[in-house]
Amino acid sequence: MKNYKTPHFRKTALFVSFLFSGIIFSQNISVDPYNSINKNNKGVKKMIVKLNDTIKEEHFFDKTGMPYLLKENSFSVKYYKYDKKNRIIIRIQGDIIRGFSCQEIKYFKNKTEVFSYLTEDEKNLQIENDQYLKNKANGIQYTIVGNDTISIDDAYAVVTSDEEYYKYAKEITSIQDTTSMFNSFAFKNLMKEPKYMSFKADYDSKLRPLNEKYFDSRNKITSDRKFSYSGNTINITYKVDMIGTGEIVQTLDSSGNILTEVEKQKVINYKYDKGICIEKKEFQNNVLLNVASHLYKDDLLQQDIYDDIQNGGKFITDYVYDSSKRIIQITNSSNYSKHVYQYTYEYY
């Protein structure tokens, strides 16, 4: 199945999006941190993103042009390691709220598996959930939180204090490179924890996904998606915790691009030019909700327009490149605000 290009309206457009709580892994996945924006990464050692002279992001690249470290606004840091096919095999993320998480990805002929280390948040959630279920089983209905008596259902959802909330801030903001990240106290503690399978995907002989499963740290399946193929149609059935069951039907053109996607009363239509998605329309009960348009010139994305018809908002992203086809400016405009991001480079 062909990977179609559908750039989304985003704050800076250069976040590396590896969604381990929602990504569909592919056997042939490769990493493009610019999401089809920059066309020439080789020779770039570092990219700095500024908003009003304030550094928002710092991207670091190896000599092949692959990103290996991303620092975001002093709030988070991300690290990536690849195999010889430029597929991610290790992803590490640290932020001021949750500390560190680490995933290891293994690729097989017809299977992809992701293993995650047990984080402090997950351990605490297990303890809280066990206590909650124990209280329920014992018929306990109320408990004390602070000076208040509240139901155990409400207590289970109580947010931690600000001091606890930002407990990793000092450590994350002090990270300057991969050495300091790997030597950080929180990361070393994480790597002492056990690993568990958090994602698994199986593929057919054409490397099309057959099923995708997400697991929690106790090996419970939290999301299960199954794929079946017939001609130019893909049927996806899913069962997701807190959402339930459902079905998505995708119709493809002769090149494998998705033309329509139907889920209950929601319909999404796609339009292409030379294999690149230039328009996406979303309907609910035959009512047009939004339109996303993408303008290209000489194979470079020039403008994204997201028209939120339902809520009356319009969002426009404009892109400016240098002679090497590297992004140097992204302007986000809407009914409410305008932000101009500047991109500068350091070279090997």
Side-chain angles (χ1 to χ4, degrees):
M1 183 173 62
K2 183 175 180 179
N3 289 325
Y4 57 95
K5 300 176 182 178
T6 54
H8 299 287
F9 184 87
R10 50 209 173 270
K11 206 163 191 179
T12 67
L14 294 182
F15 290 158
V16 185
S17 300
F18 306 121
L19 307 179
F20 282 81
S21 60
I23 192 173
I24 298 177
F25 283 92
S26 165
Q27 285 283 63
N28 299 313
I29 188 170
S30 61
V31 179
D32 176 6
Y34 302 102
N35 197 15
S36 304
I37 298 176
N38 272 21
K39 301 298 180 181
N40 182 14
N41 307 335
K42 286 189 176 181
V44 176
K45 183 178 182 180
K46 182 180 179 181
M47 181 183 72
I48 300 172
V49 184
K50 289 184 178 180
L51 173 63
N52 299 329
D53 296 324
T54 300
I55 294 178
K56 307 297 289 185
E57 300 174 20
E58 294 177 272
H59 300 247
F60 298 83
F61 302 84
D62 63 24
K63 291 184 178 180
T64 67
M66 299 300 291
Y68 67 88
L69 187 67
L70 166 61
K71 296 172 64 178
E72 296 177 303
N73 203 25
S74 300
F75 290 107
S76 72
V77 59
K78 297 175 183 177
Y79 167 81
Y80 306 98
K81 185 177 179 179
Y82 311 92
D83 64 11
K84 293 180 179 179
K85 296 181 179 180
N86 287 338
R87 300 177 300 188
I88 305 173
I89 54 176
I90 293 178
R91 173 190 183 271
I92 300 167
Q93 178 171 345
D95 65 56
I96 62 176
I97 299 172
R98 292 176 291 274
F100 279 94
S101 63
C102 179
Q103 292 82 30
E104 298 176 4
I105 302 93
K106 296 182 178 181
Y107 302 92
F108 305 92
K109 182 178 180 180
N110 295 102
K111 181 173 61 175
T112 299
E113 296 177 344
V114 180
F115 296 86
S116 297
Y117 286 82
L118 185 64
T119 67
E120 194 69 29
D121 278 356
E122 289 170 333
K123 286 197 295 183
N124 291 336
L125 185 60
Q126 288 180 0
I127 294 172
E128 293 171 3
N129 189 59
D130 289 345
Q131 186 61 50
Y132 171 75
L133 294 175
K134 183 178 179 181
N135 288 339
K136 277 282 193 180
N138 292 332
I140 298 175
Q141 297 181 354
Y142 297 94
T143 188
I144 302 294
V145 174
N147 296 319
D148 299 321
T149 300
I150 63 176
S151 72
I152 62 169
D153 290 327
D154 292 336
Y156 184 63
V158 166
V159 179
T160 56
S161 67
D162 287 344
E163 181 180 356
E164 180 76 5
Y165 201 63
Y166 294 103
K167 63 181 179 180
Y168 299 101
K170 185 176 180 180
E171 193 165 11
I172 297 300
T173 54
S174 68
I175 292 175
Q176 299 299 317
D177 52 29
T178 55
T179 300
S180 59
M181 182 182 72
F182 293 139
N183 288 335
S184 63
F185 180 77
F187 177 74
K188 287 183 175 180
N189 280 349
L190 173 68
M191 301 311 286
K192 296 176 184 177
E193 297 297 330
K195 290 187 291 187
Y196 64 94
M197 183 184 290
S198 54
F199 175 85
K200 179 182 178 182
D202 295 298
Y203 307 91
D204 63 15
S205 59
K206 297 180 181 180
L207 294 183
R208 299 177 302 186
L210 293 175
N211 61 70
E212 299 170 343
K213 292 182 174 66
Y214 289 89
F215 305 82
D216 65 14
S217 54
R218 288 182 169 175
N219 295 317
K220 176 190 173 185
I221 297 175
T222 59
S223 175
D224 189 356
R225 291 160 58 96
K226 292 181 171 60
F227 300 76
S228 61
Y229 304 87
S230 177
N232 67 336
T233 302
I234 304 175
N235 281 75
I236 307 169
T237 57
Y238 62 82
K239 181 179 181 181
V240 182
D241 283 2
M242 308 299 292
I243 295 178
T245 60
E247 181 181 24
I248 300 172
V249 179
Q250 297 176 339
T251 304
L252 314 180
D253 64 16
S254 58
S255 298
N257 300 307
I258 299 177
L259 291 176
T260 62
E261 184 171 286
V262 180
E263 182 181 9
K264 297 180 180 178
Q265 302 303 314
K266 183 176 74 173
V267 178
I268 301 176
N269 294 331
Y270 299 88
K271 184 178 179 181
Y272 300 84
D273 180 26
K274 298 177 182 178
I276 297 176
C277 181
I278 59 172
E279 185 180 78
K280 173 184 172 184
K281 291 184 177 181
E282 183 174 349
F283 300 82
Q284 183 79 29
N285 294 318
N286 296 319
V287 176
L288 182 61
L289 300 182
N290 56 72
V291 179
S293 303
H294 316 292
L295 175 64
Y296 287 81
K297 182 180 180 181
D298 299 328
D299 199 33
L300 289 176
L301 179 62
Q302 303 294 317
Q303 187 179 69
D304 286 332
I305 301 176
Y306 180 80
D307 196 351
D308 187 354
I309 297 172
Q310 185 181 32
N311 299 304
K314 192 168 187 177
F315 307 87
I316 301 174
T317 305
D318 292 294
Y319 306 88
V320 180
Y321 305 83
D322 63 15
S323 58
S324 299
K325 296 184 177 181
R326 295 190 181 108
I327 198 76
I328 56 174
Q329 181 175 294
I330 294 180
T331 303
N332 289 339
S333 307
S334 71
N335 312 51
Y336 321 104
S337 62
K338 180 177 181 179
H339 300 288
V340 180
Y341 295 87
Q342 303 290 341
Y343 299 79
T344 58
Y345 300 87
E346 297 177 10
Y347 302 92
Y348 280 102

